[in-house]
C-alpha cells in the first residue's frame, strides 16, 4: 500500500522541521513493518506563507525524497490548501492521510488509521477523545458549533477536525464535488462508503501560534453552515408564517377592543397593519429565499450519486 501524508502549512516555520522529523519517523516505522510501500510520501502544502515555510519545505525535499512540496500562489485558507493537496496527490496513492502542521493531532493514530483502512474502510475519521487541552471558551464554542450544525441538518462528525484517512476511491468521489466553497468536514460524510472512527488525544500546539483566532473561527462556522445547508432560509419562511398568524390574531384582538371602545382612534388599524405587513414581508422574503436556496444548491453541481462498486469494471 502506497501512502501519502498531506500537511497544509501557513506560516509554520517555527514548527515545520520538528513536524517533518516526527512524521518521517512514523512513515519509516510503517515502511519497516511492511505496512506501507517504500515510495510513500509526505507532502507539504504551502498555503501562501509569508515566512520561511516554503524554503524549509524545499530544503526538506532536497535532503530526503520522502518529502514533497506543493506551493499555492497565495493564502487560500486551511480548507482550500488541504483540498489542493488532496487533489494533487489523489491519483498516485492508495490512501492519503491529512493532518495539521502543528503536531496537535497525535500522529500515532496513523497506525490505527492504516489498520482500519486495511480492514476495508475507505474513510477513517480521527476524532479527539477529550478536549482537556482546550480553553473553556474553545470547548464551549466548539460544542455550540457542532450542536448548531446538527440542528441545521449539516452532517458532521463531532470533534473531528481534518485529521483523516481517505482511500483513492474516496478521493475520486470527493473530486466530483465541484463546489467552490468546499467545507470538507461536511462534504466528506456525504460521500458515504464504509468508514470508521479512530480516537486520539489532542495536545497543545508544538510551536508557533494558532492561525484560527476567534474571528476566523466564527467565519469558518458560518461558512460551514451556509455552504452545507439552506435551513437558515427555511427558518425565515417559518418566522414569516408565525408572525403573519400573530398578525391576524392581533387584528382580531384589536377589533374586539375597538368595538368595546377600549382604544384610541387609529390604534386598531395601525397595530393590525404593522403585524400583518411585517409578517407578510418576512414570509415573502422566505419564499424568495427558498427559490434562491434551490438555485444555490443547483449551482454547486454536486454529484447526484456516487457508485461504490461496479462489478463490470
Ligand atoms: N492553515 C493553512 N492556511 C490558513 C490557516 C491555517 O494552511 O490560512 C493550516 C495551519 O498551518 C495548520 C492547520 O491549517 O497546519 C490548522 O491551523 P491551526 O493549527 O492554526 O488551527 P487550530 O489548530 O488552532 O484550530
Ligand atoms: Mg492547530
Amino acid at each position: 500500500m502506497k501512502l501519502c501524508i498531506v500537511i497544509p502549512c501557513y506560516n509554520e516555520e517555527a514548527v515545520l522541521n520538528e513536524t517533518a522529523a516526527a512524521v518521517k519517523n512514523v512513515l519509516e516505522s510503517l515502511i519497516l513493518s511492511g505496512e506501507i510501500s517504500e515510495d510513500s510520501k509526505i507532502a507539504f502544502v504551502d498555503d501562501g506563507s509569508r515566512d520561511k515555510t516554503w524554503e524549509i519545505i524545499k530544503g526538506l525535499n532536497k535532503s530526503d525524497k520522502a518529502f514533497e512540496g506543493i506551493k499555492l500562489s497565495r493564502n487560500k485558507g486551511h480548507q482550500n490548501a488541504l483540498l489542493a493537496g488532496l487533489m494533487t496527490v489523489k491519483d498516485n496513492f492508495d490512501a492519503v492521510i491529512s493532518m495539521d502542521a502543528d503536531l496537535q493531532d497525535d500522529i500515532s493514530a496513523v497506525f490505527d488509521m492504516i489498520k482500519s483502512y486495511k480492514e476495508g474502510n475507505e474513510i477513517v475519521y480521527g476524532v479527539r477523545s477529550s478536549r482537556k487541552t482546550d480553553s473553556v471558551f474553545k470547548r464551549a464554542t466548539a460544542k455550540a458549533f457542532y450542536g448548531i450544525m446538527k440542528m441545521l441538518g449539516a452532517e458532521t462528525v463531532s470533534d473531528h477536525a481534518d485529521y483523516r484517512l481517505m482511500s483513492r476511491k474516496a478521493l475520486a468521489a470527493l473530486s466530483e464535488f465541484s463546489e467552490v466553497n468546499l467545507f470538507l468536514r461536511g462534504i466528506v460524510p456525504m460521500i458515504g462508503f464504509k468508514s470508521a472512527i479512530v480516537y486520539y488525544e489532542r495536545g497543545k500546539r508544538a510551536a508557533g501560534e494558532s492561525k484560527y483566532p476567534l474571528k476566523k473561527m466564527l467565519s469558518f462556522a458560518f461558512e460551514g453552515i451556509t455552504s452545507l445547508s439552506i435551513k437558515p432560509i427555511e427558518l425565515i419562511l417559518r418566522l414569516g408564517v408565525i408572525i403573519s398568524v400573530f398578525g391576524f390574531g392581533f387584528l382580531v384582538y384589536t377589533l374586539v377592543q375597538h368595538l368595546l371602545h377600549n382604544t384610541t382612534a387609529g390604534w386598531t388599524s395601525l397595530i393590525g397593519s404593522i403585524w400583518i405587513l411585517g409578517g407578510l414581508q418576512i414570509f415573502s422574503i422566505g419564499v424568495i429565499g427558498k427559490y434562491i436556496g434551490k438555485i444555490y444548491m443547483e449551482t454547486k453541481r454536486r454529484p447526484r450519486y456516487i457508485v461504490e462498486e461496479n462489478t463490470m469494471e
Side-chain angles (χ1 to χ4, degrees), residues 131 136-150 158-159:
R131 282 182 170 266
V136 177
F137 178 72
K138 183 131 189 173
R139 237 181 289 174
T141 48
K143 199 159 178 221
F145 172 64
Y146 290 111
I148 291 172
M149 290 289 269
K150 200 166 182 182
S158 279
D159 288 331

Side-chain angles (χ1 to χ4, degrees), residues 5-304:
I5 297 179
V6 170
I7 306 177
C9 311
Y10 178 56
N11 296 343
E12 297 286 9
E13 62 180 10
V15 73
L16 206 51
N17 277 313
E18 191 185 333
T19 303
V23 179
K24 172 76 194 187
N25 251 336
V26 170
L27 203 75
E28 204 79 302
S29 66
L30 281 166
I31 292 173
L32 277 178
S33 62
E35 291 289 337
I36 61 173
S37 63
E38 275 178 39
D39 50 359
S40 295
K41 299 271 189 190
I42 300 162
F44 295 100
V45 182
D46 175 20
D47 185 17
S49 300
R50 275 181 293 248
D51 63 358
K52 295 221 161 54
T53 298
W54 183 241
E55 280 73 37
I56 297 173
I57 294 173
K58 272 201 301 196
L60 286 166
N61 170 256
K62 226 175 225 150
S63 66
D64 189 333
K65 64 175 173 39
F67 295 117
E68 304 286 352
I70 299 157
K71 185 176 164 43
L72 302 190
S73 60
R74 49 161 293 202
N75 182 244
K76 298 285 282 174
H78 178 207
Q79 296 286 297
N80 289 314
L82 184 51
L83 186 70
L86 296 178
M87 291 301 115
T88 307
V89 305
K90 74 177 164 60
D91 295 325
N92 300 321
F93 296 89
D94 298 311
V96 176
I97 293 177
S98 51
M99 62 169 75
D100 289 353
D102 55 12
L103 294 180
Q104 273 189 292
D105 307 310
D106 177 13
I107 47 175
S108 55
V110 165
F111 298 101
D112 289 339
M113 288 185 180
I114 305 267
K115 191 163 154 251
S116 183
Y117 166 80
K118 295 209 164 163
E119 284 163 9
N121 290 301
E122 306 284 342
I123 303 170
V124 186
Y125 299 97
V127 170
R128 48 205 297 198
S129 47
S130 74
R131 282 182 170 266
K132 269 182 285 190
T133 55
D134 275 355
S135 65
V136 177
F137 178 72
K138 183 131 189 173
R139 237 181 289 174
T141 48
K143 199 159 178 221
F145 172 64
Y146 290 111
I148 291 172
M149 290 289 269
K150 200 166 182 182
M151 225 168 63
L152 294 176
E155 196 189 328
T156 52
V157 179
S158 279
D159 288 331
H160 158 68
D162 287 294
Y163 187 23
R164 74 175 84 80
L165 176 145
M166 291 180 79
S167 68
R168 182 199 295 249
K169 191 165 148 184
L171 286 171
L174 179 66
S175 70
E176 300 279 317
F177 288 81
S178 52
E179 52 207 86
V180 180
N181 288 316
L182 198 65
F183 185 69
L184 281 168
R185 260 170 251 185
I187 295 293
V188 174
M190 272 186 210
I191 295 174
F193 292 149
K194 196 162 178 266
S195 57
I197 286 176
V198 159
Y199 291 94
Y200 68 93
E201 284 285 337
R202 185 162 157 120
K204 283 207 188 320
R205 220 172 208 284
E209 280 180 356
S210 170
K211 274 84 198 169
Y212 268 107
L214 180 62
K215 194 168 143 245
K216 261 200 189 173
M217 246 161 58
L218 284 178
S219 85
F220 183 63
F222 194 70
E223 281 298 316
I225 290 164
T226 52
S227 67
L228 286 173
S229 155
I230 51 173
K231 273 264 169 73
I233 296 175
E234 268 153 31
L235 292 182
I236 295 178
L237 188 62
R238 247 179 261 173
L239 188 69
V241 172
I242 291 168
I243 291 183
S244 298
V245 169
F246 256 112
F248 283 105
F250 251 120
L251 189 67
V252 172
Y253 171 72
T254 49
L255 273 178
V256 170
Q257 293 297 320
H258 179 75
L259 292 176
L260 294 176
H261 300 290
N262 280 342
T263 59
T264 12
W267 183 75
T268 310
S269 51
L270 200 63
I271 291 299
S273 38
I274 285 176
W275 278 82
I276 290 176
L277 275 180
L280 287 180
Q281 274 171 353
I282 297 176
F283 176 74
S284 313
I285 293 173
V287 172
I288 296 171
K290 276 292 259 188
Y291 285 99
I292 294 181
K294 289 225 161 104
I295 296 170
Y296 176 57
M297 294 316 269
E298 284 295 325
T299 56
K300 285 182 179 292
R301 303 194 154 274
R302 277 183 189 161
R304 269 153 303 171

